Structure formats: C-alpha cells, structure tokens
Amino acid sequence: MAKVLVATVKPFAPAAVEQIKLIADKAGYDVQLLEKYANQSDFVNAVADVDALIVRSDKVTREVIEKGNNLKVVVRAGAGYDNLDLEAATEKGVVAMNTPGQNSNAVAELAIGMMIFNARNGFNGKAGKELKGKSIGIHAYGNVGRIVGNLAKGFGMKVYAFDPFLSKEAIEKDGVIALSSVEDLYSTCQYISLHIPATEKTINSINFDLLSKMPKGATLVNTARKEVVCEESLLKIFDKRDDFNYISDIAPDCKDVISEKYEGRCFFTPKKMGAQTAEANINSGVAAINQIINYIEKGDKTFQVNK
Ligand code: 3PG
C-alpha cells in the first residue's frame, strides 16, 4: 500500500482532508496526516517511509527529500513552489509538481477584499474612496492575475497588465490593456497587484525606482511573496510619499516600523491566507492526490516543475 504524507503547518479545511482521504482510499493508498507541526524535525522524521508528499508552503528542504527513502513524488498543493528544493528532488529522482490554478480564485478575491478594506480606511467610519474609475496594473497575467483583472473590471476599474511571457493579443482578448514594460505599468496605474513568483530574478525587484513612478494615490497589493518587494525601498517610499499604501498577504519583516509610523496606509494579514478557503483547499488538495495517483500508477508527469 503506497503511503501519502499530508504535511501542512497551516492545515487544509477538514472537508479537503476528507476528500483527499476518500480518493486515496479508493485507490488503495494510505494517508498520514501531519498538521500544525511545531518543528521542522517533526516533518523530516515523518517523511521516512512515505511514497508521496502533499504540502502547502511547508519547507521541503534537501534534508526532507534525503530522509524520504521511498519518496517518489512531492506535490505542492498550490501555485508557488519556491518552498521546494528542486535541485535535491531532481538529484534523488523525485518528481516535484504544483497544482496551478486550483487556488487562484481565493487569492484573487483576497486581493480585491484588501483593496476595498484599505480604500475604506479599514471600515473605521471615515470617508474613504471607491475603486471605480481607478487604474489597476496586473503585474504578471497568470491564473491569479487574470481573475483579479476580471474582478477589477466588475468594479469599474481600468485594467492594465504586464507579462513578459505573454503576447499582447493573449492579454487584450480579455479586454485588458497590455503594456510593454514594467515601468509603463507602474507609471500608469494607481493600484498595482503583484502576481510574480519568488525567483532569483524577482526577489527584491519591486524597488524604489518602480514604486516612485506610480501616480498619486499609489497602492501596492501583494498576494504573491513578501520577498519580491525590496524592504529598504518600501521604507523609503513610505517616507517620501504620504499617498503611498501597501497591503500585503503576509507582512514584511519591517512590519512593526511601517505599521507604527504609517498607520492607516498599510494592512498585513497575520498569516498567509490568500488560499485559505474551503474551496481552494478542496480544489488543490484533490488535484494533489489525483496527480500523485496518476504519477505512481501511470507515470503521468503533467505539472512537473523540476524538469
Ligand atoms: C500559493 O502559492 O499557492 C499560495 O501562496 C498559497 O499558499 P498556501 O497554500 O501556503 O496558503
């Protein structure tokens, strides 16, 4: 009987776990749960005899992979896989996958929700502003960016996007204006919604130069990764511009300074919660277990990210 470990510091909704277990059971697979573990060593120890691993933002380090003597496949139930040591997985012949698109709607809804919260001063009773008529730039037009664009259109916003990997036609078929450079995006849009992954190239790439191009009433919305925003630049832009706002799903390391000095111009979730809905957990959890079964039974490597 193949063993699947679901290791989640931030657990899936119970309904998602139930569905993962049902599918695994039908296929004759055994599911072991390791939720809210206190130490990384608990994770490392739990992986010892499992064939497959389902994780969220859990850190699948070289140590985890090397400890998994029978490990064949790791699925990150979600989009960003910067938490997986792909080099170690490849060296050990372990297939690493993600489940793109499965939690996108939840993340996009949070981006819009945080924008409204911020525009209405945290619902404190004081006059705020509306999203209607404002411009929003989608920085990377992937699964989440596309939904944010669509929702923003529903609010009557003017939607722009920049994505170096997509043609102008692919973006503009959605009624979104494609801009040809990242600088153009930032100088055109009052709101910027980040949807770039955390890679060597993107980490710290959202810097003072870019942020200072934004028009009056600038609001940076981050449901991507905290590491893509340069924190030195963040402190500088807050200091130089009293119209700059930063709302982010996961706080920057300089959260305390910003929150104290620029109260009302920032909002940070207490833990990353973009994908934290029952629907997103079910979608990505079910996709993950199905991908594992399809790989082990049929060698299906769709969604492999360590090619
Ligand atoms: C993702 O990359 O899919 C999101 O950031 C969600 O991450 P989470 O599963 O840790 O909430």
Coordinates of all heavy atoms in Angstrom, one line a residue, residues 10 56-58 76-82 103 107 223-225 272-276, ligand 1:
K10 N 0.0 24.8 8.1 CA -1.3 25.5 8.0 C -2.2 24.5 7.4 O -2.2 24.3 6.2 CB -1.1 26.8 7.2 CG -2.3 27.7 7.1 CD -1.9 29.0 6.3 CE -1.5 28.7 4.9 NZ -1.0 29.8 4.2
R56 N 1.8 22.4 1.5 CA 1.4 23.7 1.1 C 2.7 24.6 1.0 O 3.5 24.3 0.2 CB 0.4 24.3 2.1 CG -0.9 23.4 2.0 CD -2.0 24.0 2.9 NE -2.4 25.3 2.4 CZ -3.4 26.0 2.9 NH1 -4.1 25.6 4.0 NH2 -3.7 27.2 2.4
S57 N 2.8 25.6 2.0 CA 4.1 26.4 1.9 C 5.2 25.7 2.8 O 6.2 26.4 3.1 CB 3.8 27.8 2.4 OG 3.0 28.5 1.5
D58 N 4.9 24.5 3.2 CA 5.9 23.8 4.1 C 7.3 23.6 3.4 O 7.3 23.5 2.1 CB 5.3 22.4 4.4 CG 3.9 22.5 5.0 OD1 3.0 22.8 4.2 OD2 3.8 22.5 6.2
R76 N 3.2 20.2 -4.3 CA 2.9 21.4 -3.6 C 1.4 21.8 -4.0 O 1.2 22.1 -5.2 CB 3.9 22.5 -4.1 CG 3.9 23.8 -3.3 CD 2.7 24.7 -3.6 NE 2.9 26.0 -2.9 CZ 2.1 26.5 -2.0 NH1 1.1 25.8 -1.6 NH2 2.3 27.7 -1.5
A77 N 0.5 21.6 -3.0 CA -0.9 21.9 -3.3 C -1.0 23.5 -3.4 O -1.3 24.1 -2.4 CB -1.8 21.3 -2.2
G78 N -0.8 24.0 -4.5 CA -0.8 25.5 -4.7 C 0.0 25.8 -5.9 O 0.4 25.0 -6.7
A79 N 0.3 27.1 -6.0 CA 0.9 27.6 -7.3 C 2.5 27.8 -7.1 O 3.2 27.1 -7.8 CB 0.3 28.9 -7.7
G80 N 2.9 28.6 -6.1 CA 4.3 28.9 -6.0 C 5.0 27.8 -5.3 O 4.6 27.2 -4.3
Y81 N 6.2 27.4 -5.9 CA 6.9 26.2 -5.4 C 8.3 26.6 -5.0 O 9.3 25.8 -5.0 CB 7.0 25.1 -6.4 CG 7.3 25.5 -7.8 CD1 8.6 25.6 -8.3 CD2 6.3 25.8 -8.7 CE1 8.9 26.0 -9.6 CE2 6.6 26.2 -10.0 CZ 7.9 26.3 -10.4 OH 8.2 26.7 -11.7
D82 N 8.5 27.9 -4.5 CA 9.7 28.4 -4.0 C 10.1 27.7 -2.7 O 11.2 27.9 -2.2 CB 9.7 29.9 -3.8 CG 8.4 30.4 -3.2 OD1 7.4 30.1 -3.6 OD2 8.6 31.2 -2.2
N103 N -6.1 27.2 -6.6 CA -6.5 28.1 -5.5 C -6.5 29.6 -6.0 O -6.6 30.5 -5.1 CB -5.5 28.0 -4.3 CG -4.1 28.2 -4.6 OD1 -3.8 28.9 -5.7 ND2 -3.2 27.8 -3.8
V107 N -7.2 33.5 -3.9 CA -6.2 34.6 -3.8 C -6.6 35.9 -4.4 O -6.5 37.0 -3.8 CB -4.8 34.1 -4.4 CG1 -3.8 35.1 -4.3 CG2 -4.4 32.8 -3.8
T223 N -0.2 39.8 -3.1 CA -0.7 38.5 -2.7 C 0.3 37.4 -3.3 O -0.1 36.2 -3.4 CB -2.1 38.2 -3.1 OG1 -2.2 38.4 -4.5 CG2 -3.2 39.0 -2.4
A224 N 1.5 37.9 -3.6 CA 2.4 37.0 -4.2 C 3.4 36.4 -3.1 O 3.0 35.5 -2.4 CB 3.2 37.7 -5.4
R225 N 4.5 37.1 -3.0 CA 5.5 36.7 -2.0 C 6.1 37.9 -1.4 O 6.5 38.8 -2.1 CB 6.6 35.8 -2.6 CG 6.2 34.4 -3.0 CD 5.9 33.5 -1.9 NE 5.5 32.2 -2.3 CZ 4.2 31.8 -2.5 NH1 3.3 32.6 -2.4 NH2 4.0 30.5 -2.9
K272 N -0.3 34.0 6.0 CA -0.7 34.0 4.5 C -2.0 33.3 4.4 O -2.1 32.1 4.7 CB 0.4 33.3 3.7 CG 0.2 33.4 2.2 CD 1.5 33.5 1.4 CE 2.2 32.2 1.4 NZ 1.8 31.3 0.4
M273 N -3.0 34.0 3.9 CA -4.3 33.4 3.9 C -5.1 33.6 2.6 O -6.3 33.3 2.5 CB -5.2 34.0 5.0 CG -5.2 35.5 5.0 SD -6.5 36.1 6.1 CE -8.0 35.5 5.3
G274 N -4.3 34.0 1.5 CA -4.9 34.1 0.2 C -5.6 32.8 -0.2 O -6.8 32.8 -0.7
A275 N -5.0 31.7 0.0 CA -5.6 30.4 -0.5 C -6.4 29.7 0.6 O -6.7 28.6 0.5 CB -4.4 29.5 -0.9
Q276 N -6.6 30.5 1.7 CA -7.2 29.8 2.9 C -8.8 29.9 2.8 O -9.4 30.5 3.6 CB -6.7 30.6 4.1 CG -6.6 29.8 5.4 CD -5.9 28.5 5.4 OE1 -5.7 27.8 4.3 NE2 -5.5 28.0 6.5
Ligands
3PG1 C1 0.3 29.5 -3.5 O1 1.5 29.7 -3.9 O2 -0.4 28.6 -4.0 C2 -0.3 30.4 -2.4 O3 0.7 31.3 -2.0 C3 -0.9 29.7 -1.3 O4 0.0 29.2 -0.3 P1 -0.5 28.3 0.9 O5 -1.0 27.0 0.4 O6 0.6 28.2 1.8 O7 -1.6 29.1 1.6

